[in-house]
Amino acid sequence: MAAAELIPRKTLFGNPDRVAARLSPDGARLAFLAPSDGVLNVWVGPADDVSAARCVTEDRVRGIRDYFWAYDARHVVYVQDTGGDENWHVHVTDVETGETRDVTPIDGIAARIVQVTHKHPGSILVGLNDRDSQYHDVYRLDLGTGERTLVETNERFVGFVADDDLNVRLGMRPTAEGGTEFERRTAQGWELFADVHPDDALTTYLLGFDASGRTLYMTDSRGRDTGAWMAVDWETGDATTLAADARADASDCLAHPTTGLVEAVAFDYDRKRWVVLDDAVRTDLTFLLDAQDGDVEVVSRTLADDRWVVAYLMDAGPVRYYLYDRAAQDLTFLFVSRDALVGKPLTRMHAHVLQSRDGLDLVSYLSLPPWSDTGDDGKPDAPLPMVLLVHGGPWARDSWGYHPIHQWLANRGYAVLGVNYRGSTGFGKSFINAADGEWAAKMHDDLLDAVDWAVGEGIADRARIAIMGGSYGGYATLVGMTFTPSEFACGVDIVGPSSLITLLQSFPPYWTPMKGQFIRRVGDVDSEEGRAFLLSRSPISRVDEIERPLLIAQGANDPRVTQLEADQIVADMEAKDIPVTYVLYPDEGHGFARPENRFSFYAVVEAFLARHLGGRHESIGDAFDDSSITVPAGAAEVPGLSDAIG
């Protein structure tokens, strides 16, 4: 079969046409994100006429990535940082006047949304770390005036749960051992509500109250392996299991928009599966699951609960949004997220459960060039060059669905394999805890086992395999190039730490209370023995071992993995005459938000991969136009890069 057309990078990595559709609480308006002068902003129009929407916000730099309707149905709220520094400010837009205000105009803060409730449509709770950079005090914010009223002075909690009456009811405090203590507010002060052992700390957490304030919902793995969805009676403490799965943690729910009653719970092992708890939505979910292909997400509901916005997530196509009339059981098509993808030669994503060498199940996702699989059985006709794409976190996961990087690399001729290595979330506490102390050890073995599987199945050509990822995935890339230097033909590190010592020493202040978790799961940066261990698991300690081409990308404003992580390994490589290509973005942080920067970065990556793996690539062309990219090192290592930067 002939290779498919080359899908332009701008089609895959540009701004979506429309995304994140949300009904106003009264159902009169529909909002969504769409470009305005090339920058994502909030658009609002009549719920029944998408074409009449107008842009109501005025972001001109980074684009708005998420927002929500206030319950007054007049304001939309979003957070925005500067240049990727993650110092989030809360912005409120009046959709009738078009006025947008930064209601937290304080330098250096990282604001958080604490609670939004239909019972108080004109107010929300926000957390601000303006008094103490480590802890967020809670304020009540008037959306109309911007006035803030102090609700809770915080001396020790990393998060709070409030009820629909905007009362702060619970606080979450990490322990020095890596566990969590949940404390409840009483008339006399704070008292212990639950003491969560470190083994359960990443799979047991509070979710919120129903509207009555008498039922607390939480995900709880205590006494079991996976996180079950629980309902706790606030007065008696009695807990009821609403839904559980032996293979996967509870991951999502449907809750009634005014009562807060949980009506359905989702579990995601290899695909999302809904468990219905309330017959009130059983007919709806049955209808929606049968009506279209893909995984169903109910992304918005009116307060009257008569209309929903429903999204269908596909692997080989853009997200499709519909307006759903519950009484009529009728779906009205709204839009797809990316018009230009319709009809393009996109590929399917195949779920596989691999085995690690010590017997763990590794849920993984494989994408192939469409022309390589003439038998349509999820296996190529001959072994392919492959990119092992490692997700970040590590306390995150890969999931099934449309993935632009999978589609891009498959279109360029590569098999793409994403692996949920140990430490990934969603598969129970034993799977997460199996990663404790295993950075650059068993966590890396899982990736190597996945490579062996792909080679053994005839999917990958062992001589042409790259490793690529961001954040922890960038660290895994550097580990691959230094700890197993002959395993991969090349590597692409995106905002990955090169030293676990400097990584743990440079976290933002509001991460400091969580130090116990990092000590337990990564290592102790405060002791001599701990630093020696961390250094032994750091790529910076093995730079001499690098023997294959390496591309490093970094955002200068990254507060999690600072520029030092890239600078120090690049400097060490250059001092030892080891070739490296380094691209730096002065206006980005932990990832690349501006489309112009994504265009330039992926242009560099695909030229780099084409040189070392032999796949297809689109010319760099005008990909650097309006990008902030700088190339401190190694332009000659990437075809066309020297010409692109002049």
Side-chain angles (χ1 to χ4, degrees), residues 212-269:
S212 74
R214 294 190 293 269
T215 299
L216 171 69
Y217 293 112
M218 64 185 298
T219 297
D220 197 341
S221 64
R222 292 173 296 174
R224 53 182 301 119
D225 187 53
T226 55
W229 205 280
M230 309 291 290
V232 181
D233 186 294
W234 185 249
E235 297 299 327
T236 67
D238 293 339
T240 302
T241 301
L242 299 182
D245 187 294
R247 299 189 304 170
D249 301 318
S251 61
D252 197 2
C253 82
L254 287 181
H256 190 276
T258 57
T259 69
L261 176 71
V262 172
E263 300 165 317
V265 175
F267 297 88
D268 185 357
Y269 184 67

Side-chain angles (χ1 to χ4, degrees), residues 89-223:
H89 286 207
V90 178
H91 297 258
V92 178
T93 297
D94 186 323
V95 301
E96 295 183 6
T97 67
E99 179 189 11
T100 296
R101 290 175 297 129
D102 178 355
V103 293
T104 56
I106 308 166
D107 291 340
I109 64 156
R112 297 173 176 173
I113 306 296
V114 176
Q115 179 68 319
V116 183
T117 167
H118 69 282
K119 290 186 178 180
H120 297 272
S123 300
I124 62 174
L125 294 185
V126 299
L128 302 178
N129 60 337
D130 54 335
R131 180 187 57 82
D132 183 336
S133 59
Q134 291 189 31
Y135 297 104
H136 288 70
D137 297 331
V138 180
Y139 293 84
R140 181 166 176 162
L141 173 69
D142 186 291
L143 296 172
T145 66
E147 180 181 356
R148 297 189 304 274
T149 303
L150 181 65
V151 172
E152 185 73 42
T153 300
N154 180 19
E155 302 291 349
R156 64 186 184 277
F157 298 116
V158 297
F160 294 97
V161 174
D163 61 22
D164 276 0
D165 291 315
L166 298 182
N167 298 312
V168 174
R169 302 274 294 276
L170 287 155
M172 293 156 279
R173 187 182 73 83
T175 67
E177 297 74 32
T180 309
E181 289 183 350
F182 301 144
E183 296 186 25
R184 63 189 289 172
R185 164 72 79 188
T186 71
Q188 291 73 40
W190 292 96
E191 67 177 22
L192 184 66
F193 175 72
D195 187 358
V196 179
H197 189 274
D199 285 351
D200 293 287
L202 295 183
T203 42
T204 299
Y205 48 90
L206 305 175
L207 298 164
F209 289 92
D210 69 355
S212 74
R214 294 190 293 269
T215 299
L216 171 69
Y217 293 112
M218 64 185 298
T219 297
D220 197 341
S221 64
R222 292 173 296 174

Side-chain angles (χ1 to χ4, degrees), residues 13 78 86 93 138 159 173 196 250 259 297 319 337 440 450 459 466 472 495 524 629 637:
F13 298 114
Y78 65 93
E86 299 187 16
T93 297
V138 180
R173 187 182 73 83
V196 179
T259 69
E297 300 282 353
V319 180
S337 57
I459 293 165
Y472 178 88
V495 298
D524 185 3
I629 187 172
E637 301 298 316

Side-chain angles (χ1 to χ4, degrees), residues 486-506:
S486 61
E487 185 73 32
F488 299 100
C490 59
V492 180
D493 154 36
I494 310 163
V495 298
S498 60
S499 166
L500 297 182
I501 295 175
T502 52
L503 171 73
L504 296 176
Q505 288 174 334
S506 62

Side-chain angles (χ1 to χ4, degrees), residues 243-248 251-252 265-276 289 295:
D245 187 294
R247 299 189 304 170
S251 61
D252 197 2
V265 175
F267 297 88
D268 185 357
Y269 184 67
D270 54 351
R271 290 280 299 270
K272 175 169 278 193
R273 178 180 69 90
W274 285 100
V275 176
V276 177
L289 288 166
D295 286 354

Side-chain angles (χ1 to χ4, degrees), residues 259-384:
T259 69
L261 176 71
V262 172
E263 300 165 317
V265 175
F267 297 88
D268 185 357
Y269 184 67
D270 54 351
R271 290 280 299 270
K272 175 169 278 193
R273 178 180 69 90
W274 285 100
V275 176
V276 177
L277 306 179
D278 190 329
D279 286 339
V281 298
R282 188 178 304 278
T283 301
D284 300 295
L285 283 178
T286 300
F287 169 78
L288 293 172
L289 288 166
D290 290 342
Q292 299 285 330
D293 293 330
D295 286 354
V296 175
E297 300 282 353
V298 179
V299 296
S300 179
R301 299 165 75 165
T302 62
L303 281 176
D305 208 25
D306 55 345
R307 294 203 290 179
W308 298 354
V309 172
V310 177
Y312 286 90
L313 279 59
M314 309 292 295
D315 57 347
V319 180
R320 301 194 307 271
Y321 290 91
Y322 292 82
L323 190 62
Y324 172 56
D325 184 309
R326 294 188 69 197
Q329 283 205 338
D330 179 62
L331 281 174
T332 301
F333 176 72
L334 294 173
F335 46 74
V336 297
S337 57
R338 294 178 183 269
D339 295 330
L341 287 179
V342 177
K344 292 296 183 185
L346 300 176
T347 192
R348 294 161 55 204
M349 178 178 277
H350 303 275
H352 294 274
V353 181
L354 318 182
Q355 287 284 314
S356 72
R357 64 191 66 181
D358 57 351
L360 294 183
D361 290 336
L362 310 176
V363 176
S364 304
Y365 299 94
L366 175 69
S367 299
L368 299 172
W371 63 88
S372 73
D373 180 14
T374 56
D376 196 29
D377 58 0
K379 289 189 177 181
D381 301 338
L384 296 166

